[in-house]
Amino acid sequence: KKQAEKAVHQKKEQSKTKCRKARRRHINLVAEFNHRQRKNIWLETHIWHAKRFHMVKRWGYCLGNSPTEKSYRACYRAMTKHCLLQDLSYYCCLELKGKENELLKQLARICSIDTGLTFQEASCLSGRFEGSLCLYRADRYPEDMLGPVTFIWKPRDGSENRQLWIWVHPALKQDILRELKAIFQCTEPEEMYITEPVTTSVQEEKQVEVGTSLGNKRKKEDKEGEKAVPVKKIIGDGTRDPFQSYSWVAQTTGIAISDRSMEILRYRLIGPLAHSVLTETLKAASVQTV
Protein backbone atom coordinates (compact mmCIF):
# COMPACT_ATOMS: atom_id res chain seq x y z
CA LYS A 1 0.00 0.00 0.00
CA LYS A 2 2.86 2.39 0.84
CA GLN A 3 4.56 1.58 -2.44
CA ALA A 4 1.34 2.26 -4.33
CA GLU A 5 0.83 5.63 -2.62
CA LYS A 6 4.44 6.55 -3.28
CA ALA A 7 4.05 5.73 -6.93
CA VAL A 8 0.97 7.94 -7.17
CA HIS A 9 2.80 10.94 -5.68
CA GLN A 10 5.83 10.43 -7.89
CA LYS A 11 3.75 10.10 -11.02
CA LYS A 12 4.75 12.85 -13.39
CA GLU A 13 2.12 15.32 -14.34
CA GLN A 14 1.06 15.26 -17.92
CA SER A 15 3.17 17.65 -19.90
CA LYS A 16 1.28 20.79 -20.84
CA THR A 17 3.78 21.86 -23.49
CA LYS A 18 2.58 21.80 -27.05
CA CYS A 19 3.73 19.17 -29.47
CA ARG A 20 6.36 20.07 -32.05
CA LYS A 21 3.77 20.37 -34.80
CA ALA A 22 1.80 22.88 -32.74
CA ARG A 23 4.91 24.86 -31.79
CA ARG A 24 6.02 25.11 -35.41
CA ARG A 25 2.74 26.41 -36.75
CA HIS A 26 3.29 29.38 -39.03
CA ILE A 27 1.91 32.05 -36.72
CA ASN A 28 3.94 30.90 -33.71
CA LEU A 29 7.06 30.32 -35.79
CA VAL A 30 7.08 33.83 -37.20
CA ALA A 31 6.52 35.33 -33.75
CA GLU A 32 9.41 33.28 -32.38
CA PHE A 33 11.74 34.33 -35.20
CA ASN A 34 10.85 37.98 -34.66
CA HIS A 35 11.55 37.61 -30.95
CA ARG A 36 14.99 36.12 -31.69
CA GLN A 37 15.88 39.07 -33.96
CA ARG A 38 15.64 41.69 -31.25
CA LYS A 39 19.42 42.15 -30.95
CA ASN A 40 20.83 40.71 -34.18
CA ILE A 41 18.92 40.99 -37.44
CA TRP A 42 18.64 37.92 -39.65
CA LEU A 43 19.26 37.99 -43.37
CA GLU A 44 16.73 36.56 -45.80
CA THR A 45 18.87 33.41 -46.11
CA HIS A 46 19.42 32.98 -42.35
CA ILE A 47 17.48 29.71 -41.97
CA TRP A 48 19.40 28.09 -44.82
CA HIS A 49 22.77 29.22 -43.42
CA ALA A 50 21.93 28.32 -39.82
CA LYS A 51 21.52 24.68 -40.81
CA ARG A 52 24.86 24.52 -42.63
CA PHE A 53 27.16 27.17 -41.15
CA HIS A 54 28.62 28.29 -37.86
CA MET A 55 26.85 31.57 -37.16
CA VAL A 56 28.50 34.64 -35.65
CA LYS A 57 27.05 37.94 -34.45
CA ARG A 58 28.73 40.89 -36.12
CA TRP A 59 27.72 44.55 -36.62
CA GLY A 60 24.16 43.90 -35.46
CA TYR A 61 23.60 40.97 -37.84
CA CYS A 62 23.71 37.20 -37.51
CA LEU A 63 26.02 35.95 -40.29
CA GLY A 64 27.32 32.61 -41.47
CA ASN A 65 31.05 32.43 -40.75
CA SER A 66 32.26 28.99 -41.83
CA PRO A 67 30.53 25.82 -43.06
CA THR A 68 29.98 22.92 -40.71
CA GLU A 69 31.64 20.60 -43.22
CA LYS A 70 35.28 19.83 -42.58
CA SER A 71 36.34 20.69 -46.12
CA TYR A 72 35.77 23.48 -48.58
CA ARG A 73 35.70 21.26 -51.66
CA ALA A 74 32.05 21.97 -52.40
CA CYS A 75 32.61 25.74 -52.41
CA TYR A 76 35.78 25.44 -54.47
CA ARG A 77 34.10 23.15 -56.98
CA ALA A 78 31.18 25.56 -57.32
CA MET A 79 33.48 28.54 -57.92
CA THR A 80 35.60 26.76 -60.53
CA LYS A 81 32.99 24.74 -62.41
CA HIS A 82 29.51 25.91 -61.50
CA CYS A 83 28.20 28.95 -59.57
CA LEU A 84 28.58 30.05 -55.95
CA LEU A 85 26.14 32.55 -54.43
CA GLN A 86 27.00 34.77 -51.44
CA ASP A 87 24.50 36.82 -49.47
CA LEU A 88 25.94 40.31 -48.96
CA SER A 89 22.70 41.90 -47.80
CA TYR A 90 24.35 42.98 -44.57
CA TYR A 91 26.18 45.66 -46.57
CA CYS A 92 24.52 49.04 -46.09
CA CYS A 93 23.08 51.00 -48.99
CA LEU A 94 23.03 54.82 -48.91
CA GLU A 95 20.89 56.48 -51.56
CA LEU A 96 21.52 60.00 -52.86
CA LYS A 97 19.02 61.93 -54.99
CA GLY A 98 19.42 65.34 -56.54
CA LYS A 99 20.87 67.32 -59.42
CA GLU A 100 23.85 65.65 -61.03
CA ASN A 101 26.07 68.75 -60.91
CA GLU A 102 25.42 69.29 -57.21
CA LEU A 103 26.08 65.65 -56.40
CA LEU A 104 29.37 65.49 -58.31
CA LYS A 105 30.54 68.84 -56.93
CA GLN A 106 30.29 67.75 -53.31
CA LEU A 107 31.30 64.11 -53.83
CA ALA A 108 34.57 65.28 -55.40
CA ARG A 109 35.57 66.59 -51.97
CA ILE A 110 35.64 63.13 -50.37
CA CYS A 111 37.58 61.25 -53.09
CA SER A 112 40.64 61.83 -55.24
CA ILE A 113 41.59 60.96 -58.81
CA ASP A 114 45.02 59.94 -57.51
CA THR A 115 43.51 56.78 -55.97
CA GLY A 116 41.82 55.64 -59.20
CA LEU A 117 38.19 55.96 -60.22
CA THR A 118 35.92 58.70 -58.95
CA PHE A 119 32.18 59.30 -59.07
CA GLN A 120 32.69 61.20 -62.35
CA GLU A 121 34.02 58.20 -64.29
CA ALA A 122 32.20 58.17 -67.62
CA SER A 123 31.52 54.43 -67.71
CA CYS A 124 30.13 54.51 -64.17
CA LEU A 125 28.26 57.79 -64.57
CA SER A 126 26.18 56.31 -67.37
CA GLY A 127 24.95 53.58 -65.01
CA ARG A 128 26.31 50.66 -67.04
CA PHE A 129 29.04 49.64 -64.61
CA GLU A 130 29.62 49.59 -60.88
CA GLY A 131 32.61 51.48 -59.53
CA SER A 132 34.72 51.23 -56.40
CA LEU A 133 36.83 53.83 -54.62
CA CYS A 134 38.11 54.96 -51.25
CA LEU A 135 36.45 57.80 -49.37
CA TYR A 136 38.14 60.41 -47.21
CA ARG A 137 36.90 63.16 -44.99
CA ALA A 138 36.03 66.32 -46.89
CA ASP A 139 39.11 68.09 -48.28
CA ARG A 140 41.42 65.92 -46.14
CA TYR A 141 43.03 63.66 -48.78
CA PRO A 142 45.41 61.82 -48.31
CA GLU A 143 44.67 61.88 -44.58
CA ASP A 144 41.59 60.77 -42.62
CA MET A 145 40.55 57.87 -44.83
CA LEU A 146 37.01 56.60 -44.16
CA GLY A 147 37.14 53.33 -46.08
CA PRO A 148 36.42 51.61 -49.41
CA VAL A 149 32.95 51.69 -50.97
CA THR A 150 31.24 50.59 -54.17
CA PHE A 151 28.71 52.69 -56.04
CA ILE A 152 26.35 52.54 -58.99
CA TRP A 153 24.42 55.31 -60.75
CA LYS A 154 20.86 54.89 -61.93
CA PRO A 155 20.82 55.29 -65.74
CA ARG A 156 19.72 58.67 -67.05
CA ASP A 157 16.06 59.18 -67.82
CA GLY A 158 16.35 62.57 -69.50
CA SER A 159 16.05 64.56 -66.28
CA GLU A 160 18.78 66.53 -64.58
CA ASN A 161 18.06 64.71 -61.32
CA ARG A 162 20.10 61.58 -60.73
CA GLN A 163 20.04 58.72 -58.25
CA LEU A 164 23.17 57.18 -56.72
CA TRP A 165 23.54 54.10 -54.53
CA ILE A 166 26.64 53.75 -52.34
CA TRP A 167 27.33 50.40 -50.69
CA VAL A 168 29.40 50.52 -47.51
CA HIS A 169 30.46 48.03 -44.90
CA PRO A 170 28.29 48.19 -41.75
CA ALA A 171 31.36 49.02 -39.65
CA LEU A 172 31.94 52.17 -41.76
CA LYS A 173 28.35 53.22 -42.25
CA GLN A 174 27.94 55.72 -39.42
CA ASP A 175 31.15 57.63 -40.24
CA ILE A 176 30.42 57.80 -43.97
CA LEU A 177 26.78 58.75 -43.43
CA ARG A 178 27.81 61.52 -41.04
CA GLU A 179 30.30 62.86 -43.60
CA LEU A 180 27.75 62.79 -46.43
CA LYS A 181 25.22 64.68 -44.35
CA ALA A 182 27.90 67.25 -43.50
CA ILE A 183 29.04 68.00 -47.07
CA PHE A 184 25.48 68.19 -48.41
CA GLN A 185 24.24 70.00 -45.28
CA CYS A 186 21.40 67.52 -44.87
CA THR A 187 20.38 68.17 -41.31
CA GLU A 188 16.62 68.35 -41.75
CA PRO A 189 14.86 64.97 -41.61
CA GLU A 190 12.71 64.52 -44.69
CA GLU A 191 10.13 62.36 -42.92
CA MET A 192 9.93 60.57 -39.63
CA TYR A 193 9.50 56.84 -39.87
CA ILE A 194 9.02 55.01 -36.61
CA THR A 195 8.90 51.28 -37.01
CA GLU A 196 6.86 49.24 -34.60
CA PRO A 197 9.05 47.19 -32.28
CA VAL A 198 9.14 43.44 -32.64
CA THR A 199 6.57 42.27 -30.17
CA THR A 200 4.07 39.50 -30.15
CA SER A 201 0.61 40.91 -30.64
CA VAL A 202 -2.02 40.61 -27.97
CA GLN A 203 -4.07 38.39 -30.22
CA GLU A 204 -1.15 35.98 -30.61
CA GLU A 205 -0.59 35.81 -26.87
CA LYS A 206 -4.27 35.33 -25.97
CA GLN A 207 -5.09 32.73 -28.59
CA VAL A 208 -6.79 29.74 -27.07
CA GLU A 209 -6.61 26.27 -28.46
CA VAL A 210 -10.05 24.76 -28.53
CA GLY A 211 -10.58 21.06 -29.05
CA THR A 212 -14.11 20.32 -30.18
CA SER A 213 -13.57 16.62 -29.68
CA LEU A 214 -10.75 14.16 -29.23
CA GLY A 215 -10.88 13.20 -32.86
CA ASN A 216 -10.91 16.73 -34.28
CA LYS A 217 -7.85 18.87 -34.88
CA ARG A 218 -7.15 21.73 -32.53
CA LYS A 219 -7.96 25.12 -33.92
CA LYS A 220 -6.85 28.61 -32.97
CA GLU A 221 -9.47 31.27 -32.57
CA ASP A 222 -8.95 34.98 -32.80
CA LYS A 223 -11.07 37.86 -33.95
CA GLU A 224 -9.99 37.34 -37.58
CA GLY A 225 -10.40 33.58 -37.57
CA GLU A 226 -8.32 31.12 -39.52
CA LYS A 227 -7.71 33.62 -42.32
CA ALA A 228 -5.46 35.75 -40.14
CA VAL A 229 -1.98 35.97 -41.69
CA PRO A 230 0.84 37.16 -39.42
CA VAL A 231 2.98 40.01 -40.63
CA LYS A 232 6.72 39.73 -40.12
CA LYS A 233 7.92 42.78 -38.21
CA ILE A 234 11.57 43.79 -38.18
CA ILE A 235 13.16 46.68 -36.34
CA GLY A 236 15.04 48.60 -39.02
CA ASP A 237 18.43 46.97 -39.40
CA GLY A 238 21.43 46.18 -37.26
CA THR A 239 23.15 49.52 -37.87
CA ARG A 240 20.27 51.92 -37.28
CA ASP A 241 18.17 52.89 -34.31
CA PRO A 242 14.58 51.95 -35.20
CA PHE A 243 13.25 55.22 -33.77
CA GLN A 244 15.54 57.46 -35.81
CA SER A 245 14.66 58.91 -39.20
CA TYR A 246 16.42 57.38 -42.17
CA SER A 247 15.99 60.13 -44.75
CA TRP A 248 17.45 63.65 -44.74
CA VAL A 249 17.14 66.54 -47.19
CA ALA A 250 19.14 69.72 -47.78
CA GLN A 251 16.98 72.83 -47.79
CA THR A 252 19.32 74.80 -50.08
CA THR A 253 20.13 72.27 -52.83
CA GLY A 254 17.33 69.74 -52.43
CA ILE A 255 19.78 66.83 -52.13
CA ALA A 256 18.15 63.89 -50.31
CA ILE A 257 20.05 61.14 -48.50
CA SER A 258 18.24 57.94 -47.57
CA ASP A 259 19.40 54.92 -45.62
CA ARG A 260 18.26 51.83 -47.57
CA SER A 261 19.95 49.22 -45.41
CA MET A 262 18.09 45.88 -45.40
CA GLU A 263 15.66 47.29 -47.97
CA ILE A 264 17.73 46.33 -51.02
CA LEU A 265 19.16 42.82 -51.02
CA ARG A 266 22.60 42.15 -52.48
CA TYR A 267 23.93 38.85 -53.76
CA ARG A 268 27.27 37.95 -55.34
CA LEU A 269 27.55 35.17 -57.92
CA ILE A 270 30.97 33.63 -58.57
CA GLY A 271 31.76 31.00 -61.18
CA PRO A 272 31.69 30.32 -64.93
CA LEU A 273 27.93 29.61 -64.90
CA ALA A 274 26.99 32.82 -63.05
CA HIS A 275 25.56 34.50 -66.17
CA SER A 276 23.72 31.34 -67.14
CA VAL A 277 22.05 31.22 -63.74
CA LEU A 278 20.99 34.85 -64.05
CA THR A 279 19.58 34.45 -67.56
CA GLU A 280 17.60 31.39 -66.52
CA THR A 281 16.34 33.00 -63.29
CA LEU A 282 15.57 36.57 -64.35
CA LYS A 283 13.33 37.51 -67.24
CA ALA A 284 13.31 40.96 -68.80
CA ALA A 285 10.08 42.86 -68.26
CA SER A 286 8.32 44.54 -71.15
CA VAL A 287 8.50 48.29 -70.66
CA GLN A 288 5.48 50.18 -71.90
CA THR A 289 5.71 53.94 -72.28
CA VAL A 290 2.53 56.00 -72.25
Side-chain angles (χ1 to χ4, degrees):
K1 184 177 179 180
K2 290 182 179 180
Q3 291 295 334
E5 293 177 355
K6 185 178 181 181
V8 171
H9 290 296
Q10 291 182 351
K11 184 179 180 180
K12 295 183 179 179
E13 295 183 1
Q14 187 176 1
S15 177
K16 296 182 180 180
T17 58
K18 302 174 185 177
C19 63
R20 187 176 186 274
K21 182 178 179 181
R23 284 187 285 108
R24 291 188 64 82
R25 281 192 180 123
H26 180 65
I27 190 166
N28 282 347
L29 196 59
V30 173
E32 180 187 357
F33 288 168
N34 290 333
H35 178 76
R36 291 160 62 181
Q37 294 186 64
R38 285 176 177 266
K39 295 182 179 180
N40 297 278
I41 302 300
W42 291 0
L43 303 183
E44 296 270 338
T45 57
H46 175 83
I47 301 297
W48 189 92
H49 281 93
K51 295 178 180 180
R52 300 168 177 85
F53 281 72
H54 297 290
M55 308 302 290
V56 295
K57 298 176 181 178
R58 296 287 188 275
W59 312 297
Y61 298 97
C62 197
L63 307 175
N65 186 33
S66 59
T68 54
E69 297 180 355
K70 295 184 179 180
S71 64
Y72 295 89
R73 293 181 61 184
C75 296
Y76 178 76
R77 183 168 57 249
M79 287 188 295
T80 55
K81 297 182 179 180
H82 304 288
C83 177
L84 177 69
L85 184 141
Q86 291 178 287
D87 190 355
L88 302 179
S89 301
Y90 64 92
Y91 267 69
C92 302
C93 178
L94 302 178
E95 180 185 77
L96 278 69
K97 290 182 180 180
K99 295 183 179 180
E100 180 178 330
N101 295 334
E102 291 292 338
L103 289 173
L104 294 177
K105 178 182 177 181
Q106 299 300 331
L107 290 174
R109 300 174 55 191
I110 58 176
C111 60
S112 175
I113 195 174
D114 296 337
T115 60
L117 299 179
T118 62
F119 292 100
Q120 300 180 2
E121 181 67 25
S123 58
C124 300
L125 192 60
S126 63
R128 296 182 58 189
F129 299 98
E130 182 187 49
S132 60
L133 49 80
C134 293
L135 296 184
Y136 299 81
R137 297 198 181 276
D139 305 324
R140 294 287 297 171
Y141 174 81
E143 300 177 354
D144 295 339
M145 178 179 175
L146 294 174
V149 300
T150 59
F151 66 94
I152 183 170
W153 288 89
K154 184 178 180 179
R156 292 186 175 91
D157 56 358
S159 174
E160 62 178 355
N161 291 330
R162 296 296 302 275
Q163 195 168 352
L164 172 66
W165 292 287
I166 302 177
W167 296 88
V168 302
H169 193 275
L172 309 173
K173 172 189 164 182
Q174 297 299 337
D175 292 337
I176 294 178
L177 179 60
R178 193 180 302 111
E179 195 67 23
L180 289 175
K181 290 192 294 184
I183 62 175
F184 288 108
Q185 299 179 356
C186 296
T187 56
E188 182 74 16
E190 184 177 13
E191 290 183 15
M192 289 296 295
Y193 293 88
I194 299 179
T195 309
E196 295 183 7
V198 178
T199 55
T200 306
S201 63
V202 178
Q203 289 82 3
E204 294 177 6
E205 293 178 353
K206 292 186 178 181
Q207 282 171 345
V208 180
E209 293 187 355
V210 179
T212 57
S213 64
L214 295 177
N216 296 338
K217 294 182 179 180
R218 291 176 296 178
K219 296 182 179 179
K220 292 191 172 184
E221 294 184 354
D222 57 6
K223 64 179 181 180
E224 296 184 4
E226 296 180 354
K227 296 182 180 179
V229 179
V231 179
K232 187 175 182 181
K233 302 177 183 178
I234 296 179
I235 305 181
D237 65 271
T239 60
R240 181 177 67 231
D241 189 340
F243 299 103
Q244 288 182 355
S245 59
Y246 62 86
S247 186
W248 304 265
V249 63
Q251 298 298 329
T252 56
T253 59
I255 302 295
I257 302 177
S258 302
D259 186 358
R260 301 299 183 189
S261 302
M262 292 299 294
E263 296 183 21
I264 303 178
L265 303 182
R266 186 178 178 91
Y267 297 102
R268 174 184 293 164
L269 278 71
I270 305 174
L273 299 182
H275 286 85
S276 300
V277 171
L278 288 178
T279 54
E280 290 294 330
T281 305
L282 305 178
K283 302 299 181 183
S286 59
V287 180
Q288 298 180 356
T289 58
V290 179

